[in-house]
Amino acid sequence: MTTSSRDTPVERAAPLAERLLAPLARFAGSASGGGVVLLAVTAVALAWANSPWAGAYHHLWETPIALTLGTHTFRATLHYLINDGLMAVFFFVVGLEIKREVLAGELATLRTAALPMIAALGGMVVPAALYTLVAHGTPAAAGWGVPMATDIAFALGALALIGRGLPTGLRVFLAALAVVDDLGAVLVIAVFYSGGVSWGALASAAAILVAALACNRAGVRRPWAYGALGITLWCAMIASGVHATIAGVLLALTIPARTRVDEPVFLAGARRALDDFDAAAMVTAADPDTTVLSNTAHHAAIEELETLCDHAQPPLVRIEHALHGPVTFGVMPIFALSNAGVSLDAAALGAAVASPAAIGAALGLVVGKPLGITLFSWLAVRARVAALPAGVTWGALTGVGFLGGIGFTMALFIAALAFPDSPLLEAAKTGVLVASLGAGVTGVVLLRRRSGVGA
């Protein structure tokens, strides 16, 4: 008996593979997936750093790496490449999210943006003020920016764990607040946590940025073109003294957000391509000597449809979607693994408890974040410059304020910038980890009570 192509071993295996991988795909696409992976990797980092192999953990990240191009040699450690290289990709995605939200999201109009913007301002000012109050006059004062930003992956993941019973406006509010938070953190890093500025290198970076904007205006849509410009921009930023990760945000602002075809043109072209595809498929079905592989009209219709889809989707959306998985499940876990490993023995914890860096970070995240977010939101609503989202109560908003206290990724990143090669870094990390856990648990408990989950 003749075996059709449908009965080949490859075709028979595909549905089983898809079924086996479906749970993993659903997990990767869930709002809580990234937060769960970050939590697991953080636990691994803490266990490793407090195990008999702690020396290997710290030695690994100080592995020297060198790249030679002609007479020029670039030397760095693995930890540097993660914090200044991979994290530039993270900031690039952050920049894409900010641009999308400003152009067509929750920050597109003053009416929808007012509350999360004002709440985010409170969530930055109050934690920084509390930290400064604790650390003023000490070497730890440089870390005032540590408790300012929210880890959007952890915060939205924690919100997703609650599941049913919460209004949609609450998640939208938290997402928009976290985006504004990220923008504030980027500005703080650029202005306050960069080294001495080399104006020549900065001028080169500006020229590269202008070239990227010119590519946008000229209609260049290929990701590789912006990727090449991004690498040169990153190198220029390193030489300029401005922190290299800012290159990611600046490059994101140049990515095209326009489509090449409007909806009527796309619909007309798509219908024409589908008609051509249907006609080609009928030829294949009627002629046993014609296969899908040899039917050129079939492939031409598919290529036309692919081209239309490529022209109809803005590069900004396509690139953000393509990088979401690698950043969420690659860049951020690697960063957490290399930065969250702090010693938790009695001596280290005792030093952290007595350190203004740890106390200020913890107080800023657990107290300052919810207080600033809730207070500034209340003032905005009271002054009638903003309104609460539909169905959102002040109790629920307070719970979200605590979720905003999950600083983690950005807080650890700013701590590394504030205390390079300093014992204060370990204390600040300890404060961030403990406070993020406490703020997250408190926020989840408050919101579960408000939603009636588990009652």
Side-chain angles (χ1 to χ4, degrees), residues 98 101-102 105-125 172-184 187 369 372-373 376-377 380 385-387 397:
I98 292 172
E101 289 294 329
V102 169
E106 293 303 315
L107 305 179
T109 65
L110 183 60
R111 183 176 180 275
T112 57
L115 187 64
M117 287 180 66
I118 294 172
L121 178 63
M124 290 185 282
V125 171
V172 172
F173 170 78
L174 177 59
L177 180 146
V179 169
V180 178
D181 244 345
D182 284 343
L183 177 59
L187 293 175
K369 271 289 184 181
I373 290 170
F376 274 54
S377 296
V385 298
L397 191 136

Side-chain angles (χ1 to χ4, degrees), residues 166 280 402:
L166 292 175
F402 275 99

Side-chain angles (χ1 to χ4, degrees), residues 238-450:
I238 291 177
S240 74
V242 178
H243 200 268
T245 53
I246 302 302
V249 179
L250 294 177
L251 181 67
L253 301 181
T254 70
I255 302 299
R258 301 181 304 276
T259 63
R260 276 189 177 178
V261 296
D262 56 20
E263 291 181 6
V265 173
F266 175 78
L267 288 172
R271 291 191 181 104
R272 183 175 60 252
L274 289 174
D275 288 340
D276 293 343
F277 180 89
D278 186 43
M282 291 175 65
V283 171
T284 302
D287 187 353
D289 294 329
T290 304
T291 66
V292 172
L293 184 61
S294 65
N295 192 334
T296 56
H298 185 275
H299 298 298
I302 293 176
E303 289 174 3
E304 183 181 356
L305 192 58
E306 287 178 341
T307 301
L308 280 167
C309 290
D310 179 66
H311 289 175
Q313 189 176 42
L316 184 147
V317 174
R318 188 167 64 251
I319 295 173
E320 183 183 353
H321 179 75
L323 290 179
H324 175 76
V327 168
T328 301
F329 298 102
V331 173
M332 293 175 69
I334 291 173
F335 173 82
L337 184 64
S338 62
N339 285 272
V342 298
S343 178
L344 297 179
D345 58 31
L349 289 176
V353 169
S355 172
I359 297 172
L363 190 65
L365 289 171
V366 174
V367 177
K369 271 289 184 181
L371 178 61
I373 290 170
T374 306
L375 177 60
F376 274 54
S377 296
W378 182 84
L379 291 173
V381 172
R382 186 80 174 181
R384 296 185 178 181
V385 298
L388 283 177
V392 175
T393 64
W394 285 111
L397 191 136
T398 302
V400 166
F402 275 99
L403 295 186
I406 306 176
F408 197 70
T409 304
M410 198 70 82
L412 292 178
F413 186 78
I414 295 178
L417 298 179
F419 306 119
D421 303 319
S422 169
L424 290 172
L425 177 57
E426 294 300 301
K429 286 183 177 181
T430 302
V432 168
L433 293 173
V434 172
S436 294
L437 178 62
V441 170
T442 304
V444 169
V445 169
L446 288 175
L447 289 170
R448 284 177 70 90
R449 289 180 177 176
R450 291 287 170 181

Side-chain angles (χ1 to χ4, degrees), residues 51-91:
S51 72
W53 304 279
Y57 170 84
H58 295 289
H59 180 71
L60 171 64
W61 309 119
E62 298 306 316
T63 301
I65 296 174
L67 176 64
T68 301
L69 295 173
T71 58
H72 300 282
T73 299
F74 173 78
R75 292 184 175 86
T77 63
L78 181 58
H79 192 263
Y80 177 88
L81 290 180
I82 292 170
N83 282 21
D84 288 52
L86 283 183
M87 286 301 285
V89 181
F90 165 77
F91 276 88

Side-chain angles (χ1 to χ4, degrees), residues 138-218:
T138 72
W144 58 270
V146 171
M148 289 181 65
T150 297
D151 189 302
I152 189 169
F154 262 136
L156 292 179
L159 194 64
L161 292 175
I162 300 169
R164 58 182 175 84
L166 292 175
T168 303
L170 203 61
R171 186 184 187 281
V172 172
F173 170 78
L174 177 59
L177 180 146
V179 169
V180 178
D181 244 345
D182 284 343
L183 177 59
V186 167
L187 293 175
V188 167
I189 292 169
V191 176
F192 299 101
Y193 291 108
S194 295
V197 175
S198 169
W199 293 105
L202 196 60
S204 298
I208 297 167
L209 190 63
V210 170
L213 289 169
C215 287
N216 183 326
R217 297 296 298 174

